[in-house]
Amino acid sequence: RNTTRSDPVVACALAAAEAKERKRASSVGEAPLSATAAIGGTTTMSREGGGGGVKSDWDQRRLDSWWNAYIRVNQKFSEVVASLVVGGDVVWVHDYHLALLPRMLREARNEANIVGSGGKSMEKAPGNETTMAAVGGPKNPVKPVRMIFFIHVPFPTSQVFRELEHGEALLEGMLHADVVGFHAFDHARHFLNAAKRILGLTYESLVGGLIGVRHRGTKVLVTVSNVSVEGDIIDALLEFPMVKEEAAGLREKHGDRIVISGIAVAQRLSGVSYKLLAFERLLIDYPVWHSKVVLLQRCLIPGARRVDEADTLREVRFLVMRIRSRFGPEVIDYEEQVGSVLPIDQRLAIWTSSRVMMHTPIREGLNLCPLEYVFARKEPTDPGVVIASEFSAVSSILNGALRVNPYDIQMCVTSIDCALSMSGSERDARRGRDIDFVSTCPSGLWTRNVLRDLNDATLSEEGSVRNLDAVGEQSPDAALAREAELGLERLDLPALECAYAATKNSHRVIIIDFNGTLVVKEPAGKYLKREILGTSGFKPSHATMFSLARLCVDPRNTVYVVSGDSQPNLEMAVGNVPGLGLAASNGTCFADPCRGGGERKWQYLDFGVDWNAVKKVAMPIISKFTARTNGSFVKLSHSSIGWSYYSCDPEWGSLQASHLVTELGEALHSYDVRFVALKGIVEVVPRKGHKGHIVKRILEDARARCRDVDFVLCMGDDIADEKMFTSVINFSAKTEGEDSYAFNVAVGKKPTNASFYVDDASDVGDILTALSGDKGLPHHQTSSDGSVASEDFFA
């Protein structure tokens, strides 16, 4: 067995035989056989798998061991690299094999702004314990390394990427780099869509032609750049006698025939079979080329995907035999070679002896062979023509190439005929379009360009951030918002605890938003949301509820939860916490804390809106959009009408929301209402109504009852909470005394009126736990069935 498998071609045949037997055995319910030999088409089999079990190519049980092995490899790299680098060093990670390394390296170095499950720095692998960072970041944060993650293969569409069980972990790992690079915009676009639809992240075009993805409170740059061949090396090799001799041998072998060349790996994605089918059709449809053309094809057998390679070789050999039997052996020069790369001297001999180079993969990253071909046939050599698949990255680089769809055989035939009959002046003009790039962009220049993008993404030597504003955000207001965001500080939890303890002899007020602050709310842009939205079935963790209760028991504390949700939903979620004040519908209905255990007494604010008249106009319009937008629904509360598209396809829902606001604006222009676009919901609210009113009332009532209010903590996550922060600022400006504290905390780093930020709702739970004195409790959010909603990516 070991002897036969040492030959890659035979090994491919064995692997294919095993796969075929597994399929056969699966269909009849037998245990599969293992191939022990494959000589001359005769295969010997042995039974495999005791107990009559059937091995299947789709057996998902194997994924766990594969994933754990993948984690271990990335962990090993992270341990070694972490021991070698210091803050400010540049780490360049190449390709999908190490997609988890950027995040693991930042964790290993104890860097801040690490996002794992629930925004925490989490890592779980065989033999490793879970570690978590505090709200204020690591205890001893270090200067971060600067990191590039460059992918040299095609990135799949978001629909395909969603099929990966651990796709979110892979995306999170990649996004912990400062720059994510691709060779083609198609691949970058698929990555951006995956980040948007799987993680709910937004991206924007930045000044300078870059793209920024908001992640970890920063902008991760996505860049597209290409590398060409090493011209000086190729120039030297072209003068080697062996190259000239081999090229002359090929020309002598094929005489006056025009050579169409191609080098490809013997795998299905290389599209060799489609090339052969097109060549066969050319000989059928254009008999004039029978004696004038030859296809020179070299197939490489790396042995990396043996079943794929065996199937591909079987198909290619069959087509080669069919073409030769019909048109003669002179029309095809076909050879196979073990290995993943053909030696460069042999490649150059092929390029210099062929007039047409045909490259037809059905999916491929950057392949330098077409660029080598163009360079090898630069002046004074007779120019050649490249036929490139539109599915290859090189098709977007070579403007002089003839682009084809390999699946469209007739298009390929027409392009081959065009290349064979093309005039010398047109071939020269096509070469002129590409030769400048091919000759002047070696790997050294490409490296410097990517490092330049890295410098744009990270701190400059003077310690100031480069200007990476979004396109169209150059107004004074945008500039001020940008400066405010850059100056926003992460909340220092020990300082907050000290301020809380220092005000034990005075009164304290704590105001907390609900969705997205007290409970985790997945991004509205995420395609598949795994949690139940809002208070209808999603509640804070038991530890958070316990901490809230502890804070409410203290008579010196006034604690409120202020939500845009309806009164029944808010009561269902946190109404059982004694002594907790509630404000629903953005504060238009509220219930003060009831410490005696009695029934809550709800009060209502009236802003003079005739809601019956508003509903009569608005509901037919909203119902129309609800009917056409699958997953949307209407939310009615005391003083608002909401249309939620949170559970819809994010792009379709956002598009419908923009049209809905336009129609409602025209229909309700005479009413005293306005529209608020929040995360996944459009609300019709009183023109003068906002959360700032109820916060102002809470603070003034507390001052009237207790005189000294020396500690205020207000936390929120979206634009509706900015009015709460403004009310706290105005209240603090009127507060006398040096020992008073006010903390406005935004969930997520962004332009805001808050003074501090935390990463996400899990940090809010940590804050409440710390203030209540119950440190060390877990803060996983739970759904209505009690299951843990926040999962470890590496579990």
Side-chain angles (χ1 to χ4, degrees), residues 392-428:
S392 64
V394 77
S395 69
S396 62
I397 301 173
L398 296 180
N399 294 318
L402 296 174
R403 298 182 177 91
V404 297
N405 181 340
Y407 297 104
D408 189 340
I409 301 300
Q410 191 57 52
M411 175 193 286
C412 294
V413 171
T414 303
S415 296
I416 297 173
D417 177 64
C418 177
L420 293 173
S421 56
M422 188 178 294
S423 66
S425 59
E426 183 177 351
R427 285 188 279 122
D428 186 58

mmCIF file of all heavy atoms in Angstrom, residues 392-428:
data_model
loop_
_atom_site.group_PDB
_atom_site.id
_atom_site.type_symbol
_atom_site.label_atom_id
_atom_site.label_comp_id
_atom_site.label_asym_id
_atom_site.label_seq_id
_atom_site.Cartn_x
_atom_site.Cartn_y
_atom_site.Cartn_z
ATOM 1 N N SER A 392 -10.997 34.496 -13.513
ATOM 2 C CA SER A 392 -9.648 34.564 -12.950
ATOM 3 C C SER A 392 -9.330 35.999 -12.568
ATOM 4 O O SER A 392 -9.807 36.949 -13.196
ATOM 5 C CB SER A 392 -8.612 34.055 -13.964
ATOM 6 O OG SER A 392 -8.588 34.891 -15.102
ATOM 7 N N ALA A 393 -8.512 36.163 -11.525
ATOM 8 C CA ALA A 393 -8.137 37.506 -11.091
ATOM 9 C C ALA A 393 -7.341 38.234 -12.167
ATOM 10 O O ALA A 393 -7.412 39.458 -12.287
ATOM 11 C CB ALA A 393 -7.335 37.431 -9.798
ATOM 12 N N VAL A 394 -6.609 37.467 -12.977
ATOM 13 C CA VAL A 394 -5.745 38.094 -13.970
ATOM 14 C C VAL A 394 -6.559 38.779 -15.073
ATOM 15 O O VAL A 394 -6.055 39.685 -15.753
ATOM 16 C CB VAL A 394 -4.787 37.037 -14.568
ATOM 17 C CG1 VAL A 394 -5.508 36.164 -15.578
ATOM 18 C CG2 VAL A 394 -3.568 37.681 -15.188
ATOM 19 N N SER A 395 -7.818 38.394 -15.249
ATOM 20 C CA SER A 395 -8.634 39.013 -16.302
ATOM 21 C C SER A 395 -8.899 40.487 -16.019
ATOM 22 O O SER A 395 -9.142 41.267 -16.942
ATOM 23 C CB SER A 395 -9.965 38.264 -16.459
ATOM 24 O OG SER A 395 -10.793 38.469 -15.328
ATOM 25 N N SER A 396 -8.858 40.868 -14.743
ATOM 26 C CA SER A 396 -9.055 42.277 -14.390
ATOM 27 C C SER A 396 -7.747 43.056 -14.433
ATOM 28 O O SER A 396 -7.758 44.276 -14.248
ATOM 29 C CB SER A 396 -9.667 42.386 -12.988
ATOM 30 O OG SER A 396 -8.796 41.837 -12.013
ATOM 31 N N ILE A 397 -6.634 42.371 -14.658
ATOM 32 C CA ILE A 397 -5.323 43.023 -14.716
ATOM 33 C C ILE A 397 -4.898 43.252 -16.159
ATOM 34 O O ILE A 397 -4.425 44.334 -16.520
ATOM 35 C CB ILE A 397 -4.268 42.176 -13.975
ATOM 36 C CG1 ILE A 397 -4.667 41.984 -12.511
ATOM 37 C CG2 ILE A 397 -2.895 42.815 -14.079
ATOM 38 C CD1 ILE A 397 -3.758 41.023 -11.770
ATOM 39 N N LEU A 398 -5.064 42.223 -17.002
ATOM 40 C CA LEU A 398 -4.605 42.294 -18.384
ATOM 41 C C LEU A 398 -5.702 42.880 -19.279
ATOM 42 O O LEU A 398 -6.630 42.179 -19.687
ATOM 43 C CB LEU A 398 -4.191 40.900 -18.873
ATOM 44 C CG LEU A 398 -3.003 40.266 -18.144
ATOM 45 C CD1 LEU A 398 -2.700 38.890 -18.710
ATOM 46 C CD2 LEU A 398 -1.778 41.165 -18.217
ATOM 47 N N ASN A 399 -5.588 44.154 -19.577
ATOM 48 C CA ASN A 399 -6.592 44.809 -20.408
ATOM 49 C C ASN A 399 -6.505 44.386 -21.870
ATOM 50 O O ASN A 399 -7.464 44.545 -22.626
ATOM 51 C CB ASN A 399 -6.437 46.327 -20.307
ATOM 52 C CG ASN A 399 -6.738 46.851 -18.927
ATOM 53 O OD1 ASN A 399 -7.698 46.414 -18.298
ATOM 54 N ND2 ASN A 399 -5.919 47.764 -18.434
ATOM 55 N N GLY A 400 -5.345 43.861 -22.273
ATOM 56 C CA GLY A 400 -5.194 43.433 -23.654
ATOM 57 C C GLY A 400 -5.610 42.011 -23.918
ATOM 58 O O GLY A 400 -5.550 41.539 -25.064
ATOM 59 N N ALA A 401 -6.033 41.291 -22.884
ATOM 60 C CA ALA A 401 -6.421 39.889 -23.058
ATOM 61 C C ALA A 401 -7.819 39.782 -23.656
ATOM 62 O O ALA A 401 -8.651 40.696 -23.527
ATOM 63 C CB ALA A 401 -6.371 39.169 -21.720
ATOM 64 N N LEU A 402 -8.079 38.665 -24.313
ATOM 65 C CA LEU A 402 -9.430 38.325 -24.754
ATOM 66 C C LEU A 402 -10.119 37.602 -23.602
ATOM 67 O O LEU A 402 -9.692 36.524 -23.192
ATOM 68 C CB LEU A 402 -9.378 37.428 -25.992
ATOM 69 C CG LEU A 402 -8.775 38.026 -27.260
ATOM 70 C CD1 LEU A 402 -8.675 36.952 -28.348
ATOM 71 C CD2 LEU A 402 -9.598 39.204 -27.753
ATOM 72 N N ARG A 403 -11.182 38.177 -23.067
ATOM 73 C CA ARG A 403 -11.856 37.593 -21.907
ATOM 74 C C ARG A 403 -12.968 36.660 -22.374
ATOM 75 O O ARG A 403 -13.762 37.009 -23.252
ATOM 76 C CB ARG A 403 -12.423 38.686 -21.017
ATOM 77 C CG ARG A 403 -11.365 39.606 -20.430
ATOM 78 C CD ARG A 403 -11.989 40.637 -19.509
ATOM 79 N NE ARG A 403 -10.992 41.477 -18.878
ATOM 80 C CZ ARG A 403 -10.552 42.625 -19.365
ATOM 81 N NH1 ARG A 403 -11.042 43.068 -20.517
ATOM 82 N NH2 ARG A 403 -9.650 43.328 -18.728
ATOM 83 N N VAL A 404 -13.027 35.484 -21.752
ATOM 84 C CA VAL A 404 -14.030 34.488 -22.135
ATOM 85 C C VAL A 404 -14.679 33.906 -20.891
ATOM 86 O O VAL A 404 -14.128 33.958 -19.788
ATOM 87 C CB VAL A 404 -13.397 33.341 -22.962
ATOM 88 C CG1 VAL A 404 -12.828 33.864 -24.263
ATOM 89 C CG2 VAL A 404 -12.319 32.606 -22.158
ATOM 90 N N ASN A 405 -15.850 33.337 -21.101
ATOM 91 C CA ASN A 405 -16.525 32.538 -20.082
ATOM 92 C C ASN A 405 -16.281 31.073 -20.446
ATOM 93 O O ASN A 405 -16.796 30.592 -21.460
ATOM 94 C CB ASN A 405 -18.014 32.844 -20.069
ATOM 95 C CG ASN A 405 -18.766 32.067 -19.006
ATOM 96 O OD1 ASN A 405 -18.297 31.048 -18.508
ATOM 97 N ND2 ASN A 405 -19.970 32.534 -18.679
ATOM 98 N N PRO A 406 -15.493 30.322 -19.649
ATOM 99 C CA PRO A 406 -15.165 28.940 -20.022
ATOM 100 C C PRO A 406 -16.385 28.053 -20.212
ATOM 101 O O PRO A 406 -16.331 27.080 -20.975
ATOM 102 C CB PRO A 406 -14.304 28.459 -18.847
ATOM 103 C CG PRO A 406 -13.775 29.695 -18.210
ATOM 104 C CD PRO A 406 -14.841 30.726 -18.388
ATOM 105 N N TYR A 407 -17.486 28.373 -19.545
ATOM 106 C CA TYR A 407 -18.698 27.571 -19.702
ATOM 107 C C TYR A 407 -19.349 27.791 -21.064
ATOM 108 O O TYR A 407 -20.116 26.944 -21.521
ATOM 109 C CB TYR A 407 -19.705 27.910 -18.595
ATOM 110 C CG TYR A 407 -19.237 27.590 -17.201
ATOM 111 C CD1 TYR A 407 -18.813 28.587 -16.335
ATOM 112 C CD2 TYR A 407 -19.219 26.277 -16.742
ATOM 113 C CE1 TYR A 407 -18.394 28.297 -15.052
ATOM 114 C CE2 TYR A 407 -18.796 25.975 -15.456
ATOM 115 C CZ TYR A 407 -18.387 26.991 -14.614
ATOM 116 O OH TYR A 407 -17.960 26.696 -13.343
ATOM 117 N N ASP A 408 -19.081 28.934 -21.679
ATOM 118 C CA ASP A 408 -19.643 29.256 -22.994
ATOM 119 C C ASP A 408 -18.654 28.769 -24.049
ATOM 120 O O ASP A 408 -17.744 29.497 -24.468
ATOM 121 C CB ASP A 408 -19.878 30.765 -23.099
ATOM 122 C CG ASP A 408 -20.663 31.148 -24.351
ATOM 123 O OD1 ASP A 408 -20.694 30.339 -25.300
ATOM 124 O OD2 ASP A 408 -21.217 32.258 -24.380
ATOM 125 N N ILE A 409 -18.832 27.537 -24.498
ATOM 126 C CA ILE A 409 -17.876 26.920 -25.420
ATOM 127 C C ILE A 409 -17.805 27.693 -26.733
ATOM 128 O O ILE A 409 -16.718 27.906 -27.288
ATOM 129 C CB ILE A 409 -18.258 25.446 -25.681
ATOM 130 C CG1 ILE A 409 -18.288 24.660 -24.353
ATOM 131 C CG2 ILE A 409 -17.273 24.812 -26.650
ATOM 132 C CD1 ILE A 409 -16.976 24.641 -23.621
ATOM 133 N N GLN A 410 -18.944 28.152 -27.240
ATOM 134 C CA GLN A 410 -18.941 28.874 -28.506
ATOM 135 C C GLN A 410 -18.179 30.180 -28.396
ATOM 136 O O GLN A 410 -17.472 30.582 -29.329
ATOM 137 C CB GLN A 410 -20.373 29.128 -28.965
ATOM 138 C CG GLN A 410 -20.467 29.630 -30.399
ATOM 139 C CD GLN A 410 -19.811 28.666 -31.396
ATOM 140 O OE1 GLN A 410 -20.118 27.481 -31.402
ATOM 141 N NE2 GLN A 410 -18.905 29.179 -32.222
ATOM 142 N N MET A 411 -18.314 30.872 -27.277
ATOM 143 C CA MET A 411 -17.546 32.099 -27.073
ATOM 144 C C MET A 411 -16.050 31.806 -27.086
ATOM 145 O O MET A 411 -15.255 32.558 -27.684
ATOM 146 C CB MET A 411 -17.930 32.757 -25.739
ATOM 147 C CG MET A 411 -17.076 33.987 -25.398
ATOM 148 S SD MET A 411 -17.249 34.528 -23.691
ATOM 149 C CE MET A 411 -18.861 35.283 -23.766
ATOM 150 N N CYS A 412 -15.642 30.715 -26.430
ATOM 151 C CA CYS A 412 -14.225 30.341 -26.401
ATOM 152 C C CYS A 412 -13.717 30.030 -27.814
ATOM 153 O O CYS A 412 -12.604 30.425 -28.188
ATOM 154 C CB CYS A 412 -14.014 29.138 -25.485
ATOM 155 S SG CYS A 412 -14.334 29.472 -23.746
ATOM 156 N N VAL A 413 -14.539 29.318 -28.586
ATOM 157 C CA VAL A 413 -14.139 28.979 -29.955
ATOM 158 C C VAL A 413 -13.937 30.251 -30.774
ATOM 159 O O VAL A 413 -12.937 30.406 -31.500
ATOM 160 C CB VAL A 413 -15.203 28.075 -30.611
ATOM 161 C CG1 VAL A 413 -14.916 27.907 -32.102
ATOM 162 C CG2 VAL A 413 -15.243 26.725 -29.916
ATOM 163 N N THR A 414 -14.863 31.176 -30.659
ATOM 164 C CA THR A 414 -14.757 32.433 -31.405
ATOM 165 C C THR A 414 -13.504 33.205 -30.995
ATOM 166 O O THR A 414 -12.815 33.787 -31.847
ATOM 167 C CB THR A 414 -16.012 33.286 -31.168
ATOM 168 O OG1 THR A 414 -17.175 32.544 -31.550
ATOM 169 C CG2 THR A 414 -15.953 34.576 -31.963
ATOM 170 N N SER A 415 -13.201 33.206 -29.690
ATOM 171 C CA SER A 415 -12.029 33.929 -29.202
ATOM 172 C C SER A 415 -10.736 33.276 -29.683
ATOM 173 O O SER A 415 -9.766 33.973 -30.019
ATOM 174 C CB SER A 415 -12.055 33.998 -27.678
ATOM 175 O OG SER A 415 -13.166 34.740 -27.224
ATOM 176 N N ILE A 416 -10.699 31.936 -29.720
ATOM 177 C CA ILE A 416 -9.499 31.252 -30.220
ATOM 178 C C ILE A 416 -9.285 31.594 -31.697
ATOM 179 O O ILE A 416 -8.163 31.907 -32.126
ATOM 180 C CB ILE A 416 -9.625 29.729 -30.027
ATOM 181 C CG1 ILE A 416 -9.711 29.367 -28.544
ATOM 182 C CG2 ILE A 416 -8.418 29.025 -30.648
ATOM 183 C CD1 ILE A 416 -10.011 27.906 -28.292
ATOM 184 N N ASP A 417 -10.351 31.549 -32.473
ATOM 185 C CA ASP A 417 -10.239 31.884 -33.888
ATOM 186 C C ASP A 417 -9.779 33.329 -34.068
ATOM 187 O O ASP A 417 -8.943 33.635 -34.939
ATOM 188 C CB ASP A 417 -11.583 31.672 -34.575
ATOM 189 C CG ASP A 417 -11.553 32.072 -36.040
ATOM 190 O OD1 ASP A 417 -10.819 31.439 -36.820
ATOM 191 O OD2 ASP A 417 -12.264 33.035 -36.394
ATOM 192 N N CYS A 418 -10.297 34.226 -33.224
ATOM 193 C CA CYS A 418 -9.902 35.630 -33.288
ATOM 194 C C CYS A 418 -8.420 35.788 -32.975
ATOM 195 O O CYS A 418 -7.701 36.542 -33.649
ATOM 196 C CB CYS A 418 -10.742 36.453 -32.320
ATOM 197 S SG CYS A 418 -10.306 38.203 -32.236
ATOM 198 N N ALA A 419 -7.941 35.061 -31.940
ATOM 199 C CA ALA A 419 -6.529 35.158 -31.556
ATOM 200 C C ALA A 419 -5.621 34.593 -32.643
ATOM 201 O O ALA A 419 -4.543 35.141 -32.916
ATOM 202 C CB ALA A 419 -6.308 34.417 -30.240
ATOM 203 N N LEU A 420 -6.039 33.495 -33.269
ATOM 204 C CA LEU A 420 -5.205 32.862 -34.291
ATOM 205 C C LEU A 420 -5.108 33.719 -35.549
ATOM 206 O O LEU A 420 -4.066 33.732 -36.231
ATOM 207 C CB LEU A 420 -5.771 31.487 -34.650
ATOM 208 C CG LEU A 420 -5.703 30.419 -33.549
ATOM 209 C CD1 LEU A 420 -6.442 29.164 -33.979
ATOM 210 C CD2 LEU A 420 -4.254 30.087 -33.203
ATOM 211 N N SER A 421 -6.169 34.418 -35.874
ATOM 212 C CA SER A 421 -6.194 35.208 -37.113
ATOM 213 C C SER A 421 -5.917 36.685 -36.880
ATOM 214 O O SER A 421 -6.017 37.487 -37.807
ATOM 215 C CB SER A 421 -7.558 35.042 -37.794
ATOM 216 O OG SER A 421 -8.601 35.407 -36.915
ATOM 217 N N MET A 422 -5.568 37.077 -35.647
ATOM 218 C CA MET A 422 -5.358 38.480 -35.315
ATOM 219 C C MET A 422 -4.108 39.021 -36.015
ATOM 220 O O MET A 422 -3.070 38.351 -36.082
ATOM 221 C CB MET A 422 -5.224 38.640 -33.792
ATOM 222 C CG MET A 422 -5.192 40.081 -33.317
ATOM 223 S SD MET A 422 -5.099 40.179 -31.504
ATOM 224 C CE MET A 422 -6.696 39.490 -31.034
ATOM 225 N N SER A 423 -4.206 40.232 -36.487
ATOM 226 C CA SER A 423 -3.076 40.855 -37.182
ATOM 227 C C SER A 423 -1.957 41.190 -36.205
ATOM 228 O O SER A 423 -2.184 41.340 -34.995
ATOM 229 C CB SER A 423 -3.546 42.130 -37.884
ATOM 230 O OG SER A 423 -3.950 43.107 -36.934
ATOM 231 N N GLY A 424 -0.768 41.343 -36.719
ATOM 232 C CA GLY A 424 0.374 41.674 -35.885
ATOM 233 C C GLY A 424 0.236 43.019 -35.207
ATOM 234 O O GLY A 424 0.646 43.199 -34.052
ATOM 235 N N SER A 425 -0.353 43.994 -35.897
ATOM 236 C CA SER A 425 -0.513 45.323 -35.294
ATOM 237 C C SER A 425 -1.478 45.293 -34.117
ATOM 238 O O SER A 425 -1.246 45.951 -33.097
ATOM 239 C CB SER A 425 -1.016 46.312 -36.356
ATOM 240 O OG SER A 425 -2.261 45.889 -36.895
ATOM 241 N N GLU A 426 -2.557 44.507 -34.231
ATOM 242 C CA GLU A 426 -3.494 44.424 -33.105
ATOM 243 C C GLU A 426 -2.879 43.679 -31.933
ATOM 244 O O GLU A 426 -3.053 44.058 -30.767
ATOM 245 C CB GLU A 426 -4.792 43.733 -33.535
ATOM 246 C CG GLU A 426 -5.824 43.694 -32.410
ATOM 247 C CD GLU A 426 -7.153 43.090 -32.809
ATOM 248 O OE1 GLU A 426 -7.348 42.852 -34.018
ATOM 249 O OE2 GLU A 426 -7.988 42.838 -31.911
ATOM 250 N N ARG A 427 -2.123 42.610 -32.223
ATOM 251 C CA ARG A 427 -1.440 41.893 -31.137
ATOM 252 C C ARG A 427 -0.441 42.809 -30.427
ATOM 253 O O ARG A 427 -0.321 42.783 -29.205
ATOM 254 C CB ARG A 427 -0.739 40.655 -31.684
ATOM 255 C CG ARG A 427 -1.693 39.525 -32.023
ATOM 256 C CD ARG A 427 -0.975 38.241 -32.385
ATOM 257 N NE ARG A 427 -0.525 38.275 -33.780
ATOM 258 C CZ ARG A 427 0.725 38.134 -34.176
ATOM 259 N NH1 ARG A 427 1.691 37.976 -33.281
ATOM 260 N NH2 ARG A 427 1.046 38.176 -35.462
ATOM 261 N N ASP A 428 0.240 43.629 -31.201
ATOM 262 C CA ASP A 428 1.198 44.559 -30.608
ATOM 263 C C ASP A 428 0.475 45.609 -29.756
ATOM 264 O O ASP A 428 0.958 45.992 -28.678
ATOM 265 C CB ASP A 428 2.005 45.236 -31.713
ATOM 266 C CG ASP A 428 3.122 46.096 -31.159
ATOM 267 O OD1 ASP A 428 3.977 45.561 -30.419
ATOM 268 O OD2 ASP A 428 3.124 47.313 -31.435
#
